[in-house]
Amino acid sequence: MEPIEQEDLVKLNQAIRRDIVQMIGIAKSGHPGGSLSCVEILSVLYFRIMNIDPKNPKGEARDRFILSKGHAAPALYSVLAHRGFFPMEELLTLRKFGSRLQGHPDMKKTPGIDASTGSLGQGLSISVGLALGSRLSGKGYQVYTLVGDGEIQEGQFWEASMAAAHYKLSKLTLVLDYNGLQIDGKNEEVMSFGNIRNKLESFGFEVFEVDGHSLEQLEAAFKSTVKDRPKCIIAHTHKGQGVSFMKDQVGWHGKAPNDEEVARALSELEGF
Amino acid sequence: MNVKEIKAPRVAYGETLVALGEETHSIVVLDADLAHATTTNLFGEKFPERFFNMGIAEQNLMGVASGLSLAGFVPFASTFAIFGSGRAFEQVRNTICYPKLNVKIGVTHAGVTVGEDGGSHQAIEDISLMRSIPNMTVVVPADAVETAKAVRAAAAYDGPVYLRIARPPAPVFIGEDSEFVIGKANVLREGKDICLCAAGLMVFKAMEAAEVLQASGIEATVVNFHTIKPIDKQLLLELAQKIDKMITVEEHSVIGGLGSAVAEVLSECRLATVKRIGVEDKFGQSGTPDQLLEAYGLTSANIVATAKAMLT
């Protein structure tokens, strides 16, 4: 892996946030809120943690990443481009007809995408299959899955959680982007989870709770070892993190910024 | 017709998975708490490390199968037809077919011959659902021998396959040496007056009907459409050039299955009239398989009557 200094990673995160705002602004559609909330999670994974090679994106022993919250695709595309999977210029083709960068991740079109996702609640199941495959093949790669908080309302997520614990999938890491908001409002108003940590623990995960915008806390949680059970990192985040007028605002879940809003957001992100 | 034995197609499914498992380590099998009914328990007993029971959770079943395929394995995900096609429809669509993953969905207990469990468990719309998904291949074997061939063909094919396998013991009449190519229907009998296009357990009924028709001086062609998708368009058009009356027979709704597939092709050439025999847009119910086949008109007698009505 190409080493990256902490200071550079902070700068990189700002660049990723600029990409997200610009991409969605030019596409005139997309999901800025949940893309901005998971930037640190993705950059730590792709620049500090995962064993991957952009020159060999299909290498059989590589670690896998499944973006179950597929609407955060702009964040992942930016990270993949910065990591060298495809040219940076391509980012501005997001959601355009003929683009390799579809509205939601498409493994058949985009280099570096490990599974096609977007329909919520399905990514953890794919990851369970990959983690079983990691063990059965003897390759031993790690499997990381990022889920949104809203999507764990899907029953399939809990089916997959049961299976991950039942099969003692210690190569599997679930990251929960816990920003508290979903399209129709706050999680607790739309459909409350109760005590999410207790639920995940009782389903068999070893749970870590971190500030999802802290590079140090995320890295430490990713590097902590677990035995005979899957890991879950509850990452407390802010929707729209980094852009003052989008932060914690549910209205920015799935709305594109206009030109003026793009300019305002970029000026905030430049000044970091 | 040479009937060699009576055997449940689902048993041939489990036995063939075991044989494949011995031949290649890439075959893995998943089930959702129905392993004894689908007969995947045979594979599980022989290769416990390559058998994964997902519990009563079909949506997860399909996702985990996708992951195993992404890890380089060839998964057969098994459950009943009603759950594999219905409960997990959107998982099959988005997680398996959209990226064209190499996942085989082997379902048993299709159609009304599920029997006593009743209408809630009798999938009569699964072919229609699965056929409508891009990248999906739909295979419906006629008996136990053809089931074994179909399982092997599915394993060798690169992409998603829906294998629809019948539950009850049924006559074995397909020859061991008959050719099985996905997408190529097999003409079992040739006759100039009418063409019977059948799938699954109804192929045998069509063959019985052809014998009865022959006694009345009517010569029937019988075609085994073991692959509903892709439908053998070329053969259908060739047949329609010679025979302008066709009957489709399937243990499925008349909406969206083999009858629809045949009618879709022939409506573009206007060469033949198509009559569809199947479940007439109704749910199933409890009863013995034979009682239900009779009640829904899935009998050789109904095929004979329909053919005679078309010819007069």
Side-chain angles (χ1 to χ4, degrees):
Chain A
M1 174 173 349
E2 290 167 30
I4 182 162
E5 298 299 325
Q6 193 81 337
E7 197 181 318
D8 295 333
L9 196 50
V10 170
K11 284 184 192 154
L12 177 68
N13 290 335
Q14 293 303 96
I16 294 165
R17 288 200 158 88
R18 287 197 294 274
D19 291 341
I20 291 168
V21 170
Q22 279 187 299
M23 290 163 80
I24 298 174
I26 287 174
K28 295 189 166 57
S29 75
H31 300 81
S35 297
L36 291 165
S37 69
C38 64
V39 168
E40 283 78 12
I41 297 166
L42 295 181
S43 68
V44 166
L45 272 172
Y46 276 86
F47 285 87
R48 291 266 193 199
I49 301 293
M50 285 170 66
N51 172 32
I52 44 167
D53 178 4
K55 293 187 193 71
N56 184 19
K58 298 271 178 206
E60 287 185 3
R62 74 190 190 280
D63 289 342
R64 309 298 210 277
F65 175 75
I66 309 299
L67 184 66
S68 191
K69 49 171 289 184
H71 56 282
L76 180 56
Y77 293 152
S78 171
V79 167
L80 289 173
H82 284 282
R83 193 70 178 79
F85 281 89
F86 52 82
M88 292 293 298
E89 308 85 80
E90 207 166 331
L91 290 178
L92 298 182
T93 68
L94 173 74
R95 290 180 169 243
K96 302 280 190 212
F97 183 74
S99 171
R100 293 201 292 181
L101 307 186
Q102 296 287 296
H104 293 82
D106 183 334
M107 63 171 284
K108 294 285 175 174
K109 291 196 164 73
T110 315
I113 296 291
D114 289 326
S116 297
T117 52
S119 177
L120 295 177
Q122 301 192 20
L124 187 60
S125 298
I126 301 171
S127 305
V128 167
L130 273 166
L132 287 170
S134 171
R135 182 156 70 201
L136 188 57
S137 66
K139 294 195 173 78
Y141 47 79
Q142 300 285 335
V143 183
Y144 301 94
T145 312
L146 180 63
V147 301
D149 45 13
E151 76 166 302
I152 68 172
Q153 289 159 355
E154 291 280 5
Q156 186 184 350
F157 171 80
W158 300 101
E159 295 181 3
S161 295
M162 266 188 282
H166 179 81
Y167 284 102
K168 300 183 167 54
L169 299 178
S170 54
K171 299 287 185 194
L172 176 65
T173 299
L174 167 72
V175 186
L176 176 67
D177 183 358
Y178 198 3
N179 61 38
L181 299 174
Q182 55 191 106
I183 304 179
D184 278 353
K186 292 179 182 167
N187 300 150
E188 65 231 40
E189 289 168 1
V190 177
M191 182 50 65
S192 46
F193 307 133
N195 187 322
I196 193 64
R197 181 180 184 130
N198 285 356
K199 279 196 171 71
L200 291 162
E201 278 176 344
S202 69
F203 268 76
F205 288 98
E206 176 94 36
V207 176
F208 299 80
E209 255 181 287
V210 301
D211 172 350
H213 301 302
S214 162
L215 301 174
E216 296 82 1
Q217 288 185 32
L218 281 166
E219 190 168 341
F222 279 123
K223 286 183 174 166
S224 62
T225 52
V226 293
K227 207 169 163 243
D228 293 337
R229 57 201 300 205
K231 186 196 286 187
C232 171
I233 300 173
I234 299 177
H236 291 272
T237 59
H238 293 281
K239 208 153 183 161
Q241 171 79 1
V243 178
S244 61
F245 59 93
M246 291 184 180
K247 189 171 180 178
D248 297 325
Q249 296 301 308
V250 73
W252 286 101
H253 172 91
K255 188 176 81 167
N258 61 29
D259 291 348
E260 186 266 330
E261 288 160 339
V262 168
R264 267 171 66 202
L266 290 180
S267 70
E268 288 185 19
L269 291 163
E270 290 292 350
F272 193 82
Chain B
M1 240 188 328
N2 178 21
V3 175
K4 284 166 288 188
E5 59 173 323
I6 303 292
K7 181 173 178 175
R10 64 178 161 136
V11 174
Y13 176 59
E15 290 172 351
T16 311
L17 289 177
V18 171
L20 277 172
E22 278 166 356
E23 291 162 28
T24 164
H25 288 290
S26 64
I27 300 286
V28 296
V29 175
L30 302 90
D31 210 299
D33 198 39
L34 290 169
H36 289 268
T38 64
T39 75
T40 61
N41 65 314
L42 301 174
F43 186 95
E45 285 155 19
K46 190 92 191 230
F47 308 105
E49 74 290 353
R50 281 192 274 151
F51 177 77
F52 305 103
N53 204 323
M54 287 297 124
I56 307 167
E58 295 80 11
Q59 301 171 62
N60 187 49
L61 168 76
M62 297 305 173
V64 174
S66 303
L68 279 159
S69 128
L70 290 170
F73 293 94
V74 181
F76 278 76
S78 290
T79 178
F80 287 178
I82 188 79
F83 309 125
S85 67
R87 184 62 162 261
F89 173 80
E90 201 251 353
Q91 283 74 12
V92 172
R93 180 202 188 271
N94 273 325
T95 306
I96 295 174
C97 291
Y98 181 50
K100 203 180 180 192
L101 297 185
N102 195 22
V103 175
K104 318 305 165 186
I105 301 168
V107 298
T108 64
H109 295 62
V112 296
T113 52
V114 168
E116 291 79 355
D117 277 351
S120 60
H121 282 56
Q122 294 164 357
I124 43 99
E125 58 288 271
D126 58 321
I127 295 174
S128 176
L129 288 167
M130 293 294 107
R131 194 169 75 87
S132 67
I133 309 176
N135 291 337
M136 184 59 107
T137 290
V138 180
V139 173
V140 185
D143 70 1
V145 163
E146 193 167 74
T147 297
K149 291 171 184 284
V151 171
R152 287 184 171 279
Y157 173 84
D158 184 18
V161 178
Y162 182 78
L163 270 169
R164 186 198 211 230
I165 298 157
R167 172 190 183 233
V172 176
F173 65 104
I174 302 288
E176 291 280 359
D177 56 351
S178 78
E179 198 181 31
F180 186 94
V181 179
I182 288 175
K184 268 185 75 72
N186 293 342
V187 178
L188 301 184
R189 180 185 174 117
E190 291 190 73
K192 62 180 177 12
D193 299 321
I194 195 156
C195 179
L196 309 177
C197 304
L201 299 182
M202 294 303 106
V203 179
F204 185 78
K205 304 280 182 197
M207 289 294 282
E208 283 183 326
E211 285 177 8
V212 174
L213 287 168
Q214 188 175 36
S216 312
I218 297 169
E219 297 298 327
T221 290
V222 177
V223 187
N224 173 12
F225 275 89
H226 55 67
T227 307
I228 314 286
K229 184 187 175 185
I231 195 78
D232 192 342
K233 192 172 178 177
Q234 192 190 336
L235 177 70
L236 267 177
L237 292 175
E238 282 170 18
L239 289 167
Q241 299 279 355
K242 296 183 281 189
I243 310 167
D244 67 356
K245 293 177 182 64
M246 297 212 175
I247 299 175
T248 61
V249 200
E250 61 194 313
E251 192 191 348
H252 183 273
S253 171
V254 290
I255 299 172
L258 172 66
S260 294
V262 168
E264 285 158 16
V265 172
L266 296 182
S267 69
E268 292 173 8
C269 71
R270 300 172 64 187
L271 290 170
T273 303
V274 181
K275 276 277 195 191
R276 294 165 298 144
I277 294 178
V279 178
E280 294 285 350
D281 198 19
K282 288 177 204 161
F283 287 113
Q285 58 185 300
S286 289
T288 66
D290 283 341
Q291 285 172 328
L292 294 168
L293 291 173
E294 177 77 33
Y296 291 89
L298 303 173
T299 59
S300 52
N302 189 33
I303 301 170
V304 168
T306 306
K308 286 184 172 172
M310 276 182 98
L311 288 163
T312 51

